[in-house]
């Protein structure tokens, strides 16, 4: 693959993203108002179930392949908004 794939609408700016490399080689990407799975073989993004809208979350791959999403803030327009003290799990 040459170049970089275009990020889908709603992912937010790169500084607001969190990501985790999944065991199957895809990348879970969360930020702004959406969550996406990036397939590096196809060079394409695909939408997935979107968790709570978060900017600057912590995204951690757990031993069982589940992704822990925690903290960050709830964006309001172009500002970071209020801090979030919640966490949730994504199961690919």
């Amino acid at each position: 693959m040459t170049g970089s794939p275009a990020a889908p609408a709603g992912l937010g700016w790169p500084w607001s993203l969190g990501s985790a490399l999944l065991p199957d080689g895809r990348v879970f990407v969360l930020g702004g108002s959406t969550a996406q799975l990036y397939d590096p073989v196809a060079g394409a993004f695909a939408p997935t179930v979107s968790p709570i809208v978060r900017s600057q979350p912590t995204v951690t791959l757990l031993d069982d392949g589940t992704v822990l999403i925690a903290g960050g803030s709830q964006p309001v327009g172009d500002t970071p908004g209020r801090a979030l003290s919640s966490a949730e799990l994504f199961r690919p």
Side-chain angles (χ1 to χ4, degrees):
M1 183 176 95
T2 59
S4 298
L11 264 182
W13 296 102
W15 56 264
S16 69
L17 301 178
S19 63
L21 178 61
L22 302 175
D24 66 4
R26 294 178 300 165
V27 180
F28 173 78
V29 182
L30 169 70
S33 62
T34 187
Q36 302 275 327
L37 290 173
Y38 175 68
D39 181 342
V41 174
F45 285 93
T48 189
V49 175
S50 290
I52 295 172
V53 174
R54 295 175 188 265
S55 178
Q56 302 175 345
T58 297
V59 178
T60 305
L61 180 67
L62 304 177
D63 289 340
D64 68 354
T66 300
V67 178
L68 172 66
I69 304 159
S73 62
Q74 198 160 40
V76 178
D78 290 336
T79 64
R82 67 179 181 89
L84 296 172
S85 60
S86 59
E88 55 194 313
L89 296 173
F90 171 75
R91 293 177 178 88

